[in-house]
Amino acid sequence: MRDEINLRAYGKINLGLDVTGKRPDGYHEVRMIMQNVSLYDSVQIRMRRAPGIGMQTNLPFLPTGPDNLACRAAKLLMDEFGIEDGLSISLYKKIPVSAGMAGGSSDAAAVLVGVNRMFRLGLSKRELMERGVKLGADVPYCIMRGTALAEGIGEQLTPVPSMPECHLLLAKPPVSVSTKFVYGNLKADSLPFHPDIDGILDGLERGDLAGIASCLGNVLETVTIPAYPQIQDIKDRMKENGALAALMSGSGPTVFGIFTENGAAEKAGERIRSEGLARQIYTVRPFYMHRPVQRKYAHGMRGE
Ligand code: ATP
């Protein structure tokens, strides 16, 4: 048994997000392309003398009790395996909250992985993913990590080739969006468009960044952008300043832009900040479980 474990919980963006129907139980059927980014929360789990689960975080507005997904994840395994030791979880958040980047789900995933290792529970990745879905539809992906096609309610995962190397600008306007509000107001049977998820998969297969950029799409923008029009302004500003494409991630409001040069991404970020459109702005890279293979047609420059 280990006394302490330190983990990174990476955020994600959606290169594509489509809703294909609504199930009788109210959940939406989705088809999404998930990609981790290099922005992460730091999670430390330590043994403590007092029984139960204690928690600290750098964000004073976050719950630190049973409402925090990190605590719920620890409790889930501790209850199942009858662990009576006390645990202390320290969470240093950098992933914006209520932002469409699966921050809470990723923290929960890190805690499941951490508790499994600390107490040598012997659960496989798949077994952890089966437990993770009880905490949220994105948790299994956050355990798997990398690049994936997510179907069903988001829990049916197929690993796909990583996004080609690039620079990503993330900008979150100062509004919090509830995922429940967005799905609750989505007109799933009369969507005005469906993103070309197969086109994105094809671009990933060929390592074609420009091809991927040309297919980006997220149906949840139809709800979140009318409610928060500054999301469209941020997308426009990124595109005017050199992004190959820009899209809202998940249920929003974070927007990401794809750039081939870091300097251009930084400059676009400065523009967005100086106009007051967003304060939480980051330049990041895709996070890779495995480095992408350098392909002949990378960045869509065929015939080189
Ligand atoms: P998703 O992309 O999965 O919809 P999100 O980025 O929109 O996630 P989160 O930041 O994961 O949203 O969670 C937002 C809500 O969950 C907030 O109301 C917050 O109080 C609660 N919450 C519980 N635990 C956490 C956590 N560890 N980190 C962030 N938020 C948490």
Side-chain angles (χ1 to χ4, degrees):
M1 203 162 69
R2 287 161 69 172
D3 282 355
E4 180 186 309
I5 198 156
N6 292 285
L7 303 118
R8 288 178 176 185
Y10 288 92
K12 62 87 184 154
I13 54 172
N14 296 97
L15 300 176
L17 196 162
D18 196 10
V19 172
T20 52
K22 200 170 171 184
R23 302 194 320 194
D25 62 7
Y27 279 98
H28 288 84
E29 295 273 354
V30 295
R31 243 181 134 223
M32 316 188 277
I33 310 281
M34 324 284 280
Q35 170 68 56
N36 275 136
V37 295
S38 55
L39 185 66
Y40 61 85
D41 294 342
S42 299
V43 183
Q44 184 185 65
I45 312 173
R46 267 178 297 122
M47 303 286 291
R48 68 167 195 184
R49 271 181 211 286
I53 304 164
M55 183 174 178
Q56 307 86 48
T57 165
N58 60 318
L59 297 183
F61 58 86
L62 273 190
T64 50
D67 283 342
N68 196 295
L69 273 174
C71 291
R72 286 180 52 203
K75 184 166 167 18
L76 188 145
L77 289 185
M78 288 166 81
D79 285 353
E80 179 179 345
F81 288 87
I83 297 170
E84 285 173 3
D85 303 270
L87 281 189
S88 171
I89 301 173
S90 297
L91 177 62
Y92 188 85
K93 283 207 72 82
K94 282 187 282 189
I95 304 171
V97 175
S98 296
M101 295 189 63
S105 302
S106 196
D107 298 339
V111 169
L112 291 176
V113 169
V115 171
N116 184 45
R117 266 192 227 154
M118 256 178 115
F119 293 95
R120 301 197 203 291
L121 303 179
L123 295 172
S124 65
K125 215 173 217 193
R126 181 135 300 280
E127 288 168 328
L128 285 176
M129 287 159 70
E130 282 162 16
R131 284 154 178 83
V133 74
K134 295 178 195 159
L135 301 168
D138 284 346
V139 177
Y141 162 71
C142 294
I143 294 171
M144 187 180 107
R145 308 204 293 190
T147 314
L149 168 68
E151 295 171 295
I153 60 163
E155 88 298 9
Q156 290 170 20
L157 297 165
T158 311
V160 298
S162 309
M163 183 179 195
E165 299 261 16
C166 63
H167 300 271
L168 297 164
L169 176 65
L170 306 174
K172 179 190 174 267
V175 292
S176 289
V177 174
S178 124
T179 307
K180 212 169 153 195
F181 163 81
V182 175
Y183 276 101
N185 286 283
L186 185 75
K187 301 204 169 37
D189 354 305
S190 56
L191 290 170
F193 68 94
H194 286 281
D196 186 1
I197 300 291
D198 291 327
I200 300 172
L201 289 172
D202 190 47
L204 291 170
E205 205 59 61
R206 288 184 294 117
D208 175 0
L209 190 63
I212 295 164
S214 71
C215 296
L216 294 192
N218 179 351
V219 296
L220 302 185
E221 286 186 344
T222 60
V223 178
T224 317
I225 293 185
Y228 304 103
Q230 59 268 54
I231 295 170
Q232 186 61 50
D233 296 337
I234 295 175
K235 288 181 66 175
D236 293 344
R237 217 58 83 240
M238 287 191 186
K239 286 190 253 182
E240 288 157 16
N241 286 276
L244 295 182
L247 189 74
M248 186 182 84
S249 182
S251 49
T254 305
V255 175
F256 68 91
I258 301 178
F259 293 80
T260 51
E261 303 295 333
N262 188 47
E266 298 270 3
K267 223 163 158 188
E270 280 160 26
R271 260 310 280 286
I272 289 164
R273 189 187 303 279
S274 68
E275 280 188 50
L277 289 169
R279 284 191 300 270
Q280 287 181 281
I281 298 172
Y282 311 86
T283 42
V284 301
R285 314 284 297 258
F287 166 73
Y288 299 115
M289 297 293 287
H290 312 284
R291 287 260 133 207
V293 181
Q294 281 298 323
R295 295 179 183 83
K296 197 171 167 194
Y297 299 129
H299 303 295
M301 289 183 276
R302 288 153 201 243
E304 279 189 338

